[in-house]
Amino acid sequence: MRKGRWALRRKVIYPHKSLRHMPFRMGLLAEAVSVAAGADLLLYWQLPQILHWHTRVVGFLLELAEVPWEAGRQITLLPGVTAELVRTSYLDYQDHPLYPWYFLGAAVLLLAGYRWWPAPLKPVLLLIQASLAVTFLYLQLVSPSVPYSPEDFCAIWYRGETYLWLLLPLLFAMCYFILTVPFWMKLSWLCLLVSYSFLWSAVRLALALATFHHFGSLWMPLFYFVFGFLADFLYMVAFYSLAMDRAAVFLGKQKEVWQ
Amino acid sequence: MILLAAKATALVVVFVLSVYSLRHFFFAFHRLFRPQRMNYTDLAGFHMPSVTVLIPMHNEEAVAHDVLEALLEADYPHDPGLLEIIPIDDHSTDGTGEILDEYDARYSWIKPLHRREGRRGKAAALRAATRLATGEILIVFDADYIPGKSLLKFLVAPFADPEVGAVMGRVVPENTGSSLLSRLLDLERAGGYQINQQARNNLGLIPQYGGTVGGVRREALETVGGWNALSLTEDTDLTLQLAIRGWKVAYVNRAECYEEVPVTWAVRRRQIERWAIGHTECLRRYLWPLLRSPYLSRKAKLDGVLLLGVYLTAPLVLLGWAACVLLFFSGQSFLPALAAFFLASTCYNAVGNFASFFEIGNSVILDGAHARVRLLPLNIANFLFSTLTVSLALAKYYGGRILGLRPPWHKTERYRNGNGNNHAGGNGNGGSSGNGYPNGRGLNFIRARSIIPGSPAS
């Protein structure tokens, strides 16, 4: 009896040609890897300029929010890539001792209404309250301020975002470039995603620094944990879902009549 | 010392979640690019053994008509020697029993079983009905399912292979428009079945027999001692027992069946609580037998362990977050691990059989749909909800074990035909009370959607 490849009992039955149309192609995986590598090289090359632009946008937004700022220290993020940090200040709770209590009161009030919150939002709102409560306890019991200055926070943010920017093309390309839709369509979505990522990062950082300046360091863990990398991943999935929707519409138009 | 422990915890959690993330990506890529096992579908209609359909029901008058009428329309030969239907009235207090008696009077091959004594619950009901069943193959449907005309033929076809012990079909929600949750669950089901189950089947791993829209060979069931009446998830229990004893579980993507998914978060909570506890009990019961089974390959064992441990990822995520908070406040932002942790945990985006975003996106393309994929980012709500719910359920379960308590069995509420609170009895077949989520999409809705111009049905 024949064995191996020529055995009578086949492991798989290759489908009839009418069933072979697949919206995904294995060959496109190579395209995905090439695009991701190319995009990362380009990003790495342009990172100093991008970070410089990022700092300028943050500075501009801080001025709009009437937050005094100055250029801080320079940090090296990757070999050959440095970024200039933004230096701002916290609201000092020693001058405004009631502020943390106001926020804690608001959080407790929200918690009292827990029963009436929309169910899918409950865990998200609970995360916000938990973050405020834990930080409040830390500020009351352990130390009057969190262990990071706004400049340190800025450094942490720049590090995280830089790694994320380099990871984004790989994640998105591997998920999206395997589809049999035109290359320009895929590339447009990638460019849109990466551009959005730069802009949204600057907006969130400015928002975080302005919040620390006006309302104090109580809000830092919230921006670090909930509006940090978690938010980054959310918009990536949002872009992916919109891109897949458009791709599905395109593929629907390409179907053969007999299908 | 505490900081070192926190760092180690964070890294372990990152590692575990990364393994699960990679597993999802691997399944998705394998499903998309590797050859598909055709799964005996060519045999549908040629291999027709004697079949007994079991339908456990507890207060199901809102949906009982639909499932029985759909089965009456099935194109499996209505020969009492080949097809037998046993709807099980399991301690119902509404009109379910009368409905079943009505069908009993009209059709000789519908033989209802009324249970008024003994342990309540699906597994116990199945155990009692199996004693009466005469079929070589036992097909199980939950009462809220609406099988299509050719479904039975597709489900029994793989049993032509004597190694196959159980077969699982694909579940498709029919009430997707009822609420945001039902839409999100539709995405979850699509990813879970179209990608995850199919990939497991292609890879020769352990596709999960889901306890409904599936069948089991009587001989295989007897070798594992029948349905485990003590289990909250008798389906996972059976899957593991069969796999450990060398029976194959096959998945048939073509065998689609419509179901009613939970419409409210409260119902969903009770459902996943039960799954989490049942699954974790199976982990405790079958981990070592699984690892020692001589019939399973190493990759199947690895997949089995990951399958059994999937609900433990929820408390692990919380533990990871707690470790990260501790590190943050101690001045060690521990950035690379944190970044990786958040990416991995969110990328995994899954507790239970919930599929990752990539699997869902691809399943939508394979199904030829598009608009619903735009809801994908909202799955974060489902993820956080499941993480908290499963963690609390497991805490309750282990607390109960210490006190020697058995977890209760909660029935999933139905919304079809205006029945919104599952008391069913008050509304007959067209009531309107409930909690604002009526689902009027019963059998007639499915019929209307499936009529093709030119077909006899039209």
Side-chain angles (χ1 to χ4, degrees), chain B residues 356-429:
Chain B
S356 73
F357 78 96
F358 182 49
E359 287 179 325
I360 293 173
N362 292 325
S363 68
V364 169
I365 295 275
L366 289 176
D367 283 343
H370 70 93
R372 60 183 173 162
V373 75
R374 287 185 230 147
L375 288 174
L376 204 46
L378 296 182
N379 261 330
I380 188 72
N382 209 350
F383 165 61
L384 293 172
F385 179 82
S386 305
T387 303
L388 285 181
T389 305
V390 171
S391 303
L392 289 173
L394 292 181
K396 219 174 358 178
Y397 164 68
Y398 283 111
R401 271 182 67 82
I402 292 167
L403 299 172
L405 301 173
R406 282 283 314 154
W409 199 92
H410 291 293
K411 177 188 141 53
T412 306
E413 292 180 19
R414 313 282 183 229
Y415 294 87
R416 199 180 304 154
N417 297 323
N419 181 58
N421 55 9
N422 203 41
H423 297 316
N427 303 329
N429 202 24

Coordinates of all heavy atoms in Angstrom, one line a residue, chain B residues 356-429:
Chain B
S356 N -10.1 36.8 19.6 CA -9.4 38.1 19.6 C -9.9 38.9 18.4 O -10.5 38.3 17.5 CB -7.9 37.8 19.5 OG -7.6 37.3 18.2
F357 N -9.5 40.1 18.4 CA -10.0 41.0 17.3 C -9.6 40.5 15.9 O -10.4 40.7 15.0 CB -9.4 42.4 17.6 CG -8.0 42.6 17.1 CD1 -7.7 43.2 15.9 CD2 -6.9 42.2 18.0 CE1 -6.4 43.3 15.5 CE2 -5.6 42.4 17.6 CZ -5.4 42.9 16.4
F358 N -8.4 39.9 15.8 CA -8.0 39.5 14.5 C -8.8 38.4 13.9 O -9.2 38.3 12.8 CB -6.5 39.1 14.6 CG -5.9 38.7 13.3 CD1 -5.9 39.4 12.2 CD2 -5.1 37.5 13.3 CE1 -5.3 39.0 11.0 CE2 -4.5 37.1 12.1 CZ -4.6 37.9 11.0
E359 N -9.2 37.4 14.8 CA -10.0 36.3 14.4 C -11.4 36.8 14.0 O -12.0 36.4 13.0 CB -10.2 35.3 15.6 CG -8.9 34.5 15.8 CD -9.1 33.6 17.0 OE1 -9.8 33.9 18.0 OE2 -8.5 32.5 17.0
I360 N -11.9 37.8 14.8 CA -13.2 38.3 14.5 C -13.2 39.0 13.1 O -14.1 38.8 12.3 CB -13.7 39.3 15.6 CG1 -13.9 38.5 16.9 CG2 -15.0 40.0 15.2 CD1 -14.2 39.4 18.1
G361 N -12.2 39.9 12.9 CA -12.1 40.6 11.6 C -12.1 39.6 10.4 O -12.8 39.8 9.5
N362 N -11.3 38.6 10.5 CA -11.2 37.6 9.4 C -12.5 36.8 9.3 O -12.9 36.5 8.1 CB -10.0 36.7 9.7 CG -8.7 37.4 9.6 OD1 -8.6 38.4 8.8 ND2 -7.8 37.1 10.4
S363 N -13.1 36.5 10.4 CA -14.4 35.7 10.2 C -15.5 36.5 9.5 O -16.2 36.0 8.8 CB -14.9 35.2 11.6 OG -15.3 36.4 12.4
V364 N -15.5 37.8 9.8 CA -16.5 38.7 9.1 C -16.2 38.7 7.6 O -17.2 38.6 6.8 CB -16.4 40.1 9.7 CG1 -17.2 41.1 8.9 CG2 -16.9 40.1 11.1
I365 N -15.0 38.7 7.2 CA -14.7 38.7 5.8 C -15.1 37.3 5.2 O -15.7 37.2 4.1 CB -13.1 38.9 5.6 CG1 -12.7 40.3 6.0 CG2 -12.8 38.6 4.1 CD1 -12.9 41.4 5.0
L366 N -14.7 36.2 5.9 CA -15.1 34.9 5.4 C -16.6 34.7 5.3 O -17.0 34.0 4.4 CB -14.5 33.8 6.3 CG -12.9 33.7 6.2 CD1 -12.5 32.6 7.3 CD2 -12.5 33.3 4.9
D367 N -17.3 35.3 6.2 CA -18.8 35.2 6.2 C -19.4 36.1 5.1 O -20.6 36.1 5.0 CB -19.4 35.5 7.6 CG -19.2 34.4 8.5 OD1 -18.9 33.3 8.1 OD2 -19.3 34.6 9.8
G368 N -18.6 37.0 4.5 CA -19.1 37.8 3.5 C -19.9 39.0 4.1 O -20.7 39.6 3.4
A369 N -19.7 39.3 5.3 CA -20.4 40.4 5.9 C -19.5 41.6 6.0 O -18.3 41.5 5.6 CB -20.9 40.1 7.3
H370 N -20.0 42.8 6.4 CA -19.0 43.9 6.6 C -19.4 44.8 7.7 O -18.6 45.1 8.6 CB -18.8 44.7 5.3 CG -19.9 45.5 4.8 ND1 -20.0 46.8 5.1 CD2 -21.0 45.2 4.1 CE1 -21.2 47.3 4.6 NE2 -21.8 46.3 3.9
A371 N -20.6 45.4 7.7 CA -20.9 46.5 8.6 C -20.6 46.1 10.1 O -20.2 47.0 10.9 CB -22.3 47.0 8.4
R372 N -20.9 44.9 10.5 CA -20.9 44.6 11.9 C -19.4 44.6 12.5 O -19.3 44.8 13.6 CB -21.5 43.2 12.2 CG -20.8 42.1 11.4 CD -21.6 40.8 11.7 NE -21.0 39.7 10.8 CZ -21.2 38.5 11.0 NH1 -21.9 38.1 12.1 NH2 -20.7 37.6 10.2
V373 N -18.4 44.5 11.6 CA -17.1 44.5 12.1 C -16.7 45.9 12.7 O -15.8 46.0 13.5 CB -16.1 44.2 10.9 CG1 -15.9 45.3 9.9 CG2 -14.8 43.7 11.5
R374 N -17.5 46.9 12.3 CA -17.2 48.3 12.9 C -17.4 48.3 14.4 O -16.9 49.2 15.1 CB -18.1 49.3 12.2 CG -17.7 49.6 10.8 CD -18.5 50.7 10.3 NE -19.1 50.4 9.0 CZ -20.3 50.8 8.5 NH1 -21.1 51.5 9.3 NH2 -20.7 50.4 7.4
L375 N -18.1 47.4 14.9 CA -18.4 47.3 16.4 C -17.2 46.8 17.2 O -17.2 46.8 18.4 CB -19.6 46.5 16.7 CG -21.0 47.1 16.3 CD1 -22.1 46.0 16.5 CD2 -21.2 48.3 17.1
L376 N -16.2 46.3 16.4 CA -15.1 45.6 17.1 C -14.5 46.3 18.3 O -14.2 45.7 19.3 CB -14.0 45.3 16.0 CG -13.1 44.2 16.2 CD1 -13.8 42.9 16.7 CD2 -12.3 43.9 14.9
P377 N -14.2 47.7 18.2 CA -13.6 48.3 19.3 C -14.4 48.2 20.6 O -13.9 48.3 21.7 CB -13.4 49.8 18.9 CG -13.6 49.8 17.4 CD -14.4 48.6 17.0
L378 N -15.7 48.1 20.4 CA -16.6 48.1 21.6 C -16.4 46.8 22.4 O -16.9 46.7 23.5 CB -18.1 48.3 21.2 CG -18.4 49.6 20.6 CD1 -19.9 49.7 20.3 CD2 -18.1 50.7 21.5
N379 N -15.7 45.8 21.8 CA -15.5 44.6 22.5 C -14.7 44.8 23.8 O -14.6 43.9 24.7 CB -14.8 43.6 21.6 CG -15.7 42.6 21.1 OD1 -16.8 42.3 21.7 ND2 -15.5 42.1 19.9
I380 N -14.0 46.0 23.9 CA -13.3 46.2 25.1 C -14.2 46.2 26.3 O -13.9 45.7 27.4 CB -12.6 47.6 25.0 CG1 -11.6 47.8 26.2 CG2 -13.5 48.8 24.9 CD1 -10.4 47.0 26.2
A381 N -15.5 46.6 26.1 CA -16.5 46.6 27.2 C -16.7 45.1 27.6 O -16.8 44.8 28.8 CB -17.8 47.2 26.8
N382 N -16.9 44.3 26.6 CA -17.1 42.8 26.9 C -15.9 42.2 27.6 O -16.1 41.4 28.5 CB -17.3 42.2 25.5 CG -18.2 41.0 25.6 OD1 -18.5 40.5 26.7 ND2 -18.6 40.4 24.5
F383 N -14.7 42.6 27.2 CA -13.5 42.1 27.8 C -13.4 42.5 29.2 O -13.2 41.6 30.1 CB -12.3 42.7 27.0 CG -11.0 42.5 27.7 CD1 -10.5 41.3 28.0 CD2 -10.2 43.6 28.0 CE1 -9.3 41.1 28.6 CE2 -9.0 43.5 28.6 CZ -8.5 42.3 28.9
L384 N -13.6 43.8 29.5 CA -13.5 44.2 30.9 C -14.6 43.5 31.8 O -14.4 43.1 32.9 CB -13.6 45.7 31.0 CG -12.4 46.5 30.4 CD1 -12.7 48.0 30.4 CD2 -11.2 46.2 31.2
F385 N -15.8 43.5 31.2 CA -17.0 42.9 31.9 C -16.7 41.4 32.2 O -16.9 40.9 33.3 CB -18.2 43.0 31.0 CG -19.5 42.4 31.5 CD1 -20.2 43.1 32.5 CD2 -19.9 41.1 31.2 CE1 -21.4 42.6 33.0 CE2 -21.0 40.6 31.7 CZ -21.8 41.3 32.6
S386 N -16.2 40.7 31.2 CA -15.9 39.3 31.4 C -14.8 39.1 32.4 O -14.8 38.2 33.2 CB -15.5 38.6 30.1 OG -16.4 38.8 29.1
T387 N -13.8 39.9 32.3 CA -12.6 39.8 33.3 C -13.1 39.9 34.7 O -12.8 39.1 35.6 CB -11.6 40.9 33.0 OG1 -11.2 40.8 31.6 CG2 -10.4 40.7 33.9
L388 N -13.9 40.9 35.0 CA -14.4 41.1 36.3 C -15.4 40.0 36.7 O -15.3 39.4 37.8 CB -15.1 42.5 36.5 CG -14.2 43.7 36.5 CD1 -15.0 45.0 36.7 CD2 -13.2 43.6 37.7
T389 N -16.3 39.7 35.8 CA -17.3 38.6 36.2 C -16.7 37.3 36.4 O -17.0 36.6 37.4 CB -18.3 38.5 35.0 OG1 -18.8 39.8 34.7 CG2 -19.4 37.6 35.3
V390 N -15.8 36.9 35.5 CA -15.1 35.6 35.7 C -14.3 35.5 37.0 O -14.3 34.5 37.7 CB -14.3 35.2 34.5 CG1 -13.5 34.0 34.7 CG2 -15.2 35.0 33.3
S391 N -13.6 36.6 37.3 CA -12.7 36.6 38.5 C -13.6 36.5 39.7 O -13.3 35.7 40.6 CB -11.9 37.9 38.5 OG -11.2 38.1 37.4
L392 N -14.7 37.2 39.7 CA -15.6 37.2 40.9 C -16.2 35.8 41.0 O -16.3 35.2 42.1 CB -16.7 38.2 40.8 CG -16.3 39.7 41.0 CD1 -17.4 40.6 40.7 CD2 -15.8 39.9 42.4
A393 N -16.6 35.2 39.9 CA -17.2 33.9 39.9 C -16.2 32.8 40.4 O -16.6 32.0 41.2 CB -17.7 33.5 38.5
L394 N -15.0 32.9 40.0 CA -14.0 31.9 40.4 C -13.7 32.1 41.9 O -13.5 31.1 42.7 CB -12.7 32.0 39.6 CG -12.9 31.6 38.1 CD1 -11.6 31.7 37.4 CD2 -13.4 30.1 38.1
A395 N -13.7 33.4 42.4 CA -13.5 33.7 43.8 C -14.6 33.0 44.6 O -14.4 32.4 45.6 CB -13.4 35.2 44.0
K396 N -15.8 33.2 44.1 CA -17.0 32.7 44.8 C -16.9 31.1 44.8 O -17.2 30.5 45.8 CB -18.3 33.1 44.0 CG -19.4 33.5 45.0 CD -20.6 34.1 44.4 CE -20.8 34.4 43.0 NZ -22.0 34.9 42.5
Y397 N -16.5 30.6 43.7 CA -16.4 29.1 43.5 C -15.4 28.5 44.5 O -15.7 27.6 45.3 CB -16.0 28.8 42.1 CG -15.6 27.4 41.9 CD1 -16.5 26.3 42.1 CD2 -14.3 27.1 41.6 CE1 -16.1 25.0 41.9 CE2 -13.8 25.8 41.4 CZ -14.7 24.7 41.6 OH -14.3 23.4 41.4
Y398 N -14.2 29.1 44.6 CA -13.2 28.6 45.5 C -13.6 28.8 46.9 O -13.3 28.0 47.8 CB -11.8 29.2 45.2 CG -11.2 28.5 43.9 CD1 -11.1 29.2 42.7 CD2 -10.9 27.2 43.9 CE1 -10.6 28.6 41.6 CE2 -10.3 26.6 42.8 CZ -10.2 27.3 41.6 OH -9.7 26.7 40.5
G399 N -14.2 30.0 47.2 CA -14.7 30.2 48.5 C -15.8 29.2 48.9 O -15.7 28.6 50.0
G400 N -16.7 28.8 48.0 CA -17.7 27.8 48.2 C -17.1 26.5 48.4 O -17.6 25.7 49.3
R401 N -16.0 26.2 47.7 CA -15.4 24.9 47.9 C -14.8 24.7 49.3 O -14.9 23.6 49.9 CB -14.3 24.7 46.9 CG -14.7 24.1 45.5 CD -13.5 23.9 44.6 NE -12.6 22.9 45.1 CZ -12.8 21.6 44.9 NH1 -13.8 21.2 44.3 NH2 -11.9 20.8 45.4
I402 N -14.3 25.8 49.8 CA -13.7 25.7 51.1 C -14.9 25.4 52.1 O -14.7 24.7 53.1 CB -13.0 27.1 51.5 CG1 -11.8 27.2 50.6 CG2 -12.7 27.1 53.0 CD1 -11.1 28.5 50.6
L403 N -16.0 26.0 51.8 CA -17.2 25.9 52.7 C -18.0 24.6 52.4 O -19.0 24.3 53.0 CB -18.1 27.1 52.7 CG -17.5 28.4 53.1 CD1 -18.4 29.6 52.8 CD2 -17.1 28.4 54.6
G404 N -17.6 23.9 51.4 CA -18.3 22.7 51.0 C -19.6 22.9 50.3 O -20.5 22.0 50.3
L405 N -19.7 24.1 49.6 CA -21.0 24.3 48.9 C -20.8 24.0 47.4 O -19.8 24.1 46.8 CB -21.3 25.8 49.0 CG -21.5 26.4 50.4 CD1 -21.6 27.9 50.3 CD2 -22.7 25.8 51.0
R406 N -22.0 23.5 46.8 CA -22.0 23.2 45.4 C -22.5 24.5 44.6 O -23.4 25.1 45.0 CB -23.0 22.1 45.1 CG -22.5 20.7 45.4 CD -21.5 20.1 44.4 NE -21.9 20.3 43.0 CZ -21.1 20.4 42.0 NH1 -19.8 20.3 42.2 NH2 -21.5 20.5 40.7
P407 N -21.8 24.9 43.5 CA -22.3 26.0 42.8 C -23.7 25.7 42.1 O -23.9 24.6 41.7 CB -21.3 26.2 41.7 CG -20.5 24.9 41.6 CD -20.6 24.3 42.9
P408 N -24.6 26.7 42.2 CA -26.0 26.4 41.6 C -25.9 26.5 40.1 O -25.0 27.0 39.5 CB -26.8 27.6 42.1 CG -25.8 28.7 42.3 CD -24.5 28.0 42.7
W409 N -26.9 25.8 39.5 CA -27.1 25.8 38.0 C -28.1 26.9 37.6 O -29.2 26.8 38.0 CB -27.5 24.5 37.5 CG -27.2 24.2 36.1 CD1 -26.1 23.7 35.5 CD2 -28.1 24.5 35.0 NE1 -26.2 23.6 34.2 CE2 -27.4 24.1 33.8 CE3 -29.4 25.1 34.9 CZ2 -28.0 24.3 32.5 CZ3 -29.9 25.3 33.6 CH2 -29.2 24.9 32.5
H410 N -27.7 27.9 36.8 CA -28.6 29.0 36.4 C -29.0 28.7 35.0 O -28.2 28.6 34.1 CB -28.0 30.3 36.5 CG -27.7 30.8 37.9 ND1 -28.7 31.1 38.8 CD2 -26.6 31.0 38.6 CE1 -28.2 31.4 40.0 NE2 -26.9 31.3 39.9
K411 N -30.3 28.8 34.8 CA -30.8 28.6 33.4 C -30.7 30.0 32.7 O -30.9 31.0 33.3 CB -32.3 28.2 33.5 CG -33.0 28.1 32.1 CD -34.4 27.8 32.4 CE -35.3 28.6 31.4 NZ -35.0 28.3 30.0
T412 N -30.3 29.9 31.4 CA -30.2 31.2 30.6 C -31.6 31.6 30.2 O -32.4 30.8 29.7 CB -29.4 30.9 29.3 OG1 -28.1 30.4 29.8 CG2 -29.1 32.2 28.6
E413 N -31.9 32.9 30.4 CA -33.2 33.4 30.1 C -33.5 33.5 28.6 O -32.5 33.7 27.8 CB -33.4 34.8 30.7 CG -33.5 34.7 32.2 CD -33.6 36.1 32.8 OE1 -34.1 37.0 32.1 OE2 -33.3 36.3 34.0
R414 N -34.7 33.4 28.2 CA -35.1 33.5 26.7 C -35.9 34.7 26.5 O -36.7 35.2 27.4 CB -36.0 32.3 26.3 CG -35.4 30.9 26.8 CD -34.3 30.5 25.9 NE -33.9 29.2 26.4 CZ -32.6 28.8 26.6 NH1 -31.7 29.7 26.4 NH2 -32.3 27.6 27.0
Y415 N -35.8 35.3 25.3 CA -36.5 36.5 25.0 C -37.4 36.4 23.8 O -38.1 37.3 23.4 CB -35.5 37.6 24.7 CG -34.7 38.0 25.9 CD1 -33.6 37.2 26.3 CD2 -35.2 38.9 26.8 CE1 -32.9 37.5 27.4 CE2 -34.5 39.2 27.9 CZ -33.3 38.5 28.2 OH -32.7 38.8 29.4
R416 N -37.4 35.2 23.2 CA -38.2 35.1 21.9 C -39.7 35.2 22.2 O -40.2 34.8 23.3 CB -37.9 33.7 21.3 CG -38.2 33.7 19.8 CD -37.9 32.4 19.2 NE -36.5 32.1 19.4 CZ -36.1 30.8 19.4 NH1 -36.9 29.8 19.2 NH2 -34.8 30.6 19.5
N417 N -40.4 35.6 21.2 CA -41.9 35.7 21.2 C -42.4 36.5 22.4 O -43.4 36.2 23.1 CB -42.5 34.3 21.4 CG -42.2 33.4 20.1 OD1 -42.2 34.0 19.0 ND2 -41.9 32.2 20.3
G418 N -41.6 37.6 22.7 CA -42.1 38.5 23.7 C -41.8 38.1 25.1 O -42.1 38.9 26.0
N419 N -41.1 37.0 25.3 CA -40.9 36.5 26.6 C -39.6 37.2 27.1 O -38.5 36.8 26.7 CB -40.7 35.0 26.6 CG -40.5 34.5 28.0 OD1 -41.2 34.7 28.9 ND2 -39.4 33.8 28.2
G420 N -39.7 38.2 28.0 CA -38.5 38.9 28.4 C -38.0 38.6 29.7 O -36.9 39.0 30.1
N421 N -38.7 37.8 30.5 CA -38.2 37.6 31.9 C -38.1 36.1 32.2 O -37.9 35.7 33.4 CB -39.1 38.3 32.9 CG -40.5 37.9 32.8 OD1 -40.9 37.0 32.0 ND2 -41.4 38.6 33.4
N422 N -38.4 35.3 31.2 CA -38.2 33.8 31.4 C -39.2 33.2 32.3 O -39.1 32.1 32.7 CB -36.8 33.5 31.9 CG -36.5 32.1 31.5 OD1 -36.8 31.7 30.4 ND2 -35.9 31.4 32.4
H423 N -40.2 33.9 32.7 CA -41.3 33.2 33.5 C -42.2 32.5 32.5 O -43.0 31.7 32.9 CB -42.0 34.2 34.4 CG -41.1 34.8 35.4 ND1 -40.2 34.0 36.1 CD2 -40.9 36.1 35.8 CE1 -39.5 34.8 36.9 NE2 -39.9 36.0 36.7
A424 N -42.1 32.9 31.3 CA -42.7 32.2 30.2 C -44.2 31.9 30.3 O -45.0 32.1 29.4 CB -41.9 30.9 29.8
G425 N -44.5 31.4 31.5 CA -45.9 30.9 31.6 C -46.9 32.0 31.5 O -48.0 31.8 30.9
G426 N -46.6 33.2 31.8 CA -47.6 34.3 31.8 C -47.9 34.7 30.4 O -49.0 35.3 30.1
N427 N -47.0 34.5 29.4 CA -47.2 35.1 28.1 C -47.7 34.2 27.1 O -47.9 34.6 25.9 CB -45.9 35.7 27.7 CG -45.4 36.7 28.7 OD1 -46.2 37.4 29.3 ND2 -44.1 36.9 28.8
G428 N -47.8 32.9 27.3 CA -48.1 32.0 26.3 C -47.1 32.1 25.2 O -45.9 32.3 25.5
N429 N -47.5 32.1 24.0 CA -46.6 32.1 22.9 C -46.4 33.5 22.3 O -45.7 33.7 21.3 CB -47.0 31.1 21.8 CG -45.9 30.7 21.0 OD1 -44.8 30.8 21.4 ND2 -46.2 30.3 19.8

